[in-house]
Structure formats: structure tokens, C-alpha cells
Amino acid sequence: MMKNFPVEKFESLDTPFYYYDVNLLKETLSAVASEAAKYDGFHVHYAIKANFNPRLLRVVAESGIGADCVSGGEVLAAIAAGIPASKVVFAGVGKTDKEIAASLDAGIFCFNVESLPEIEAIEALAAERGVVAQIAIRVNPNVAAHTHANITTGLAENKFGVNYEQLNDVIDCVEAKEHLKLVGLHFHIGSQILDINDFVALCDKVNELQRMLKETRGLVLPNINVGGGLGVRYDAPDEYPVPDFAHYFETYAKCLHRYEGQQVHFELGRSIVAQCGSLITRVTYVKKGTRKQFVIVDAGMNDLLRPALYGAHHNIENLSSSAVEETYDVVGPVCESSDVFDKDIQLPETRRGDFLAMRTAGAYGEAMAFGYNCRALPGAVFSDEI
Ligand SMILES: *Cc1c(COP(=O)(O)O)cnc(C)c1O
């Protein structure tokens, strides 16, 4: 279990820090690229918001996959890391003029648009520059992904995308613009999806919508972007280090009806980077309460927010002890009652100074870190650099 962590090298490092297993990252990238390559016209874009560490982004760029961005900063980070602008897609409900302008100047592949006023803004900025922007319309397919309420995005009540009732007006609007070219439809139903039937349900919706658009307006678009959301096994990082990309792409190949020449785009974030990262923290104190024992670590909710934000679970391992197990709550030092990583878990008897690893923390971990309580941001250590 501890073989993957060079604990003796951690001794001289400041904690907490994210530790990235570069071999596992590369293995995962090569799996996602080779499984997608089995199908003609499948393209993978890494969803940068899962982890935008510049070193990690360079490894992603080397794999040859594209990028999915949700801010102008991410568009620039993708390009700076070496991902060609021609493989960058840009989604988000609130793209500002500045972000749109920078993306037009960079020459990104496509804007995934989410509203009529956004279309007007992109048209105006593209006209100023005398360029034509490629547009995909983000459609809200009203599919309920079986995941946490805060990370489903494809329901009619979410802020994302265009609802079916408005879709024809939005298509008309894009088609009427001189500096916009409608090139696709975009969907994204949520994150941490482990039930493959949710993706089958999305395919059914996309098929039905494509049939309707073809019948009612003779419209067939060259690109279908089905978003991301493939989940990872937080409960079993060593048994499932690389997600089952083969089954994922096979499902789309089987269930998504493609018209001739149609390209299919995927935006995977979590499934590419989650398992390669762990948050390494040291035990500051072990405190005995009346009914509980608390392991107080030097990482807090500001370093890894997911447990406090979504009640998310990360396996926690003691890298320094193999003594008999006891029951602990593992908590951070931040002045918030929600600064708890896990409750009533079994760990080998734990002492001050022990190293703990919070596993499966490569996605939405470092990327969500913040400086509350004047705390320094966590460091990042790559396995091939120490
Ligand atoms: C966050 C996001 C993704 C990636 O989601 P994962 O669950 O990390 O795969 C893909 N597309 C869009 C539009 C997103 O906002």
C-alpha cells in the first residue's frame, strides 16, 4: 500500500503538499488517448478546471489531447502549456468580453455558447476583428446523473445550457450572424458518474434531438460534444488506478447515432487526473476527547475542499505507522466546524509527526485550494522531481 510513496524523501519537505505520480498520470493519458483512437473521429479534451498545475498541464499537452476550458485564464493556461488552440473548446455561462476577445485572438476551435446575449457578445467581438468564430450550442438535455446534487449540471433547473424550448431560436440567432459559424452541439450532464446508464441516457437524448433537428430543419452539424463526467473509484484507488476508458468510449460508439463524418468530442477531467494525486499531510496533534480521538493534521479544508463542500470521501492512509488500528476523526486546523476530512475511520495507531496521504486528490484538489485563515497554498511535488 505504501510502495508508491517515497516517505523518506517527504521528511525534508514542507507539508501539506500534493504529490503527483507522474507514471500513473502518463499511463492514464496513454489509456484515454489509445482507447479513444479505436474509434474514428473521437477527440478527447482535458477539462483543465480539474487541475491546472502548469507542470501537470505540460504532461497532458505532451499526450496530444486537447483542452476544455471554462474561463479565459484556462484558455491561456492551456495554450501556455503547449496545447494547440485548434484543440481548445471554451464553455461557461458567464464569458466576459475580455475572455471572449482573448480566445478569438488565440484562435480557439470552438465556443460552447449557453445564451442569446452571449451570442450577441461573441458576434460583436468577432466582427471587430473580422474573424468568424466557431460555435457549438450547449444544450441542457434534462438528464439526471446519479451523482451529488451540487455536481449535476444537465437538469432543466440548472443554470447551464439552453433548454429544448429555446433551442430553435438560439440556432436561428447563430445562423443569422455573419461572424459566427454553427459547428456543433454540446452537452455535459455532471461529474463523478459511475453508472454507465447515465451516459446511455444522454446518447438517447442526443439521438432524439439530432433526429428532430434533421427532420424539422434539415440540420446536421459536424460536431457532437458529449462533455465529461466519467467517475473514479474514491473507495479503491489501488484497485482502480486507471478508469475503464475502454467501456466508456465503447458505450458512446454503440449508443450514439452519428451522421456521416460527424466528429465526437469528450471533455474528461476527473477521470484523467484524480488517481495520480494525493494530498500529503503531517499529524500535528492527536487529541483525545471524551468519546472520540481526533487526528489533527496540518492540511485543512482550504487545501482540499471536497469533503467540506460535497461531503466527498477520500481514503486516508497513515504512511508512517503499521500499528494496531484505532478509530479516529481526521480534522484540519481551520476555524470552521466543517473542516473535517473523515469521521470514525480506522487508522493504525497514529502519532504526532506521522505522514498521512489523502488519496484520489488529483482532481478538484489543488485547483480548489485557497488562502483562508492566511494559510499558504499547498505545494506540489512530482514523483520524478524528488
Ligand atoms: C467540469 C466540466 C467537465 C469535466 O468534468 P469531469 O467530471 O471532471 O470529467 C467537462 N465539461 C464541462 C463543460 C465542464 O464544466
Side-chain angles (χ1 to χ4, degrees):
M1 209 195 325
M2 295 173 205
K3 65 184 187 305
N4 294 323
F5 295 100
V7 181
E8 64 297 343
K9 292 183 181 161
F10 292 171
E11 292 290 343
S12 60
L13 301 174
D14 272 345
T15 47
F17 60 86
Y18 279 89
Y19 177 74
Y20 296 108
D21 179 338
V22 178
N23 288 334
L24 180 56
L25 174 61
K26 287 182 176 169
E27 199 185 315
T28 309
L29 284 162
S30 114
V32 77
S34 65
E35 292 301 336
K38 288 185 179 161
Y39 306 97
D40 237 14
F42 274 24
H43 307 272
V44 178
H45 305 263
Y46 167 61
I48 291 201
K49 74 174 188 287
N51 191 321
F52 55 89
N53 178 294
R55 167 82 213 282
L56 182 141
L57 282 188
R58 284 201 302 278
V59 179
V60 171
E62 282 163 19
S63 77
I65 67 176
D68 161 50
C69 302
V70 293
S71 74
E74 288 188 359
V75 170
L76 299 180
I79 293 168
I83 296 173
S86 61
K87 292 183 180 177
V88 171
V89 297
F90 182 10
V93 293
K95 301 179 191 78
T96 64
D97 285 11
K98 206 172 152 192
E99 292 175 309
I100 295 166
S103 304
L104 288 169
D105 293 339
I108 66 165
F109 171 61
C110 187
F111 291 84
N112 295 333
V113 304
E114 312 212 10
S115 67
L116 288 170
E118 182 189 339
I119 292 166
E120 300 295 340
I122 300 175
E123 166 67 14
L125 291 159
E128 261 175 35
R129 287 165 173 73
V131 297
V132 173
Q134 301 214 98
I135 303 293
I137 298 171
R138 177 166 180 173
V139 180
N140 190 333
N142 203 14
V143 170
H146 295 90
T147 182
H148 191 281
N150 288 3
I151 50 176
T152 76
T153 54
L155 283 171
E157 67 204 46
N158 287 124
K159 70 178 176 182
F160 299 104
V162 171
N163 292 332
Y164 278 38
E165 307 81 68
Q166 299 157 328
L167 184 56
N168 272 308
D169 289 346
V170 173
I171 293 173
D172 289 342
C173 178
V174 176
E175 287 185 333
K177 302 292 189 221
E178 209 181 316
H179 299 92
L180 303 182
K181 184 175 179 205
L182 184 61
V183 297
L185 298 172
H186 174 229
F187 306 85
H188 175 64
I189 55 173
S191 199
Q192 183 52 15
I193 296 168
L194 286 171
D195 185 347
I196 202 82
N197 290 318
D198 290 343
F199 298 119
V200 175
L202 173 61
C203 289
D204 291 344
K205 291 278 182 149
V206 176
N207 295 344
E208 183 189 305
L209 184 61
Q210 289 223 83
R211 195 178 326 116
M212 191 270 283
L213 290 174
K214 184 157 193 279
E215 278 168 13
T216 58
R217 26 193 326 158
L219 184 66
V220 177
L221 292 166
N223 297 284
I224 298 296
N225 182 333
V226 293
L230 178 62
V232 296
R233 290 290 299 268
Y234 284 94
D235 60 328
D238 294 314
E239 292 83 343
Y240 302 95
V242 180
D244 191 353
F245 296 116
H247 188 213
Y248 174 74
F249 290 120
E250 190 193 2
T251 301
Y252 276 100
K254 270 197 196 140
C255 301
L256 186 68
H257 179 78
R258 295 162 71 185
Y259 294 89
E260 209 190 317
Q262 221 165 31
Q263 308 292 299
V264 185
H265 300 260
F266 301 87
E267 303 171 330
L268 296 170
R270 185 190 312 268
S271 52
I272 295 178
V273 294
Q275 295 294 22
C276 76
S278 297
L279 180 63
I280 306 296
T281 180
R282 271 186 118 147
V283 176
T284 311
Y285 300 110
V286 178
K287 170 174 166 174
K288 293 194 194 301
T290 45
R291 261 176 262 121
K292 278 184 175 276
Q293 310 190 80
F294 298 95
V295 168
I296 302 167
V297 295
D298 63 6
M301 62 191 287
N302 68 296
D303 300 297
L304 178 61
L305 183 61
R306 299 185 66 260
L309 186 63
Y310 314 126
H313 167 83
H314 290 266
N315 274 7
I316 300 176
E317 292 168 11
N318 187 324
L319 306 181
S320 310
S321 168
S322 49
V324 175
E325 291 191 339
E326 298 194 15
T327 306
Y328 300 98
D329 283 11
V330 178
V331 304
V334 172
C335 295
E336 296 290 338
S337 302
S338 57
D339 187 22
V340 173
F341 290 107
D342 215 341
K343 288 187 172 169
D344 295 321
I345 61 162
Q346 297 294 115
L347 287 175
E349 187 187 0
T350 296
R351 291 148 307 193
R352 173 174 165 83
D354 284 356
F355 284 102
L356 303 190
M358 304 198 185
R359 303 292 307 277
T360 321
Y364 308 106
E366 189 184 355
M368 284 190 179
F370 56 102
Y372 185 44
N373 285 186
C374 266
R375 289 170 53 79
L377 291 178
V381 173
F382 287 81
S383 58
D384 59 353
E385 287 175 346
I386 59 165

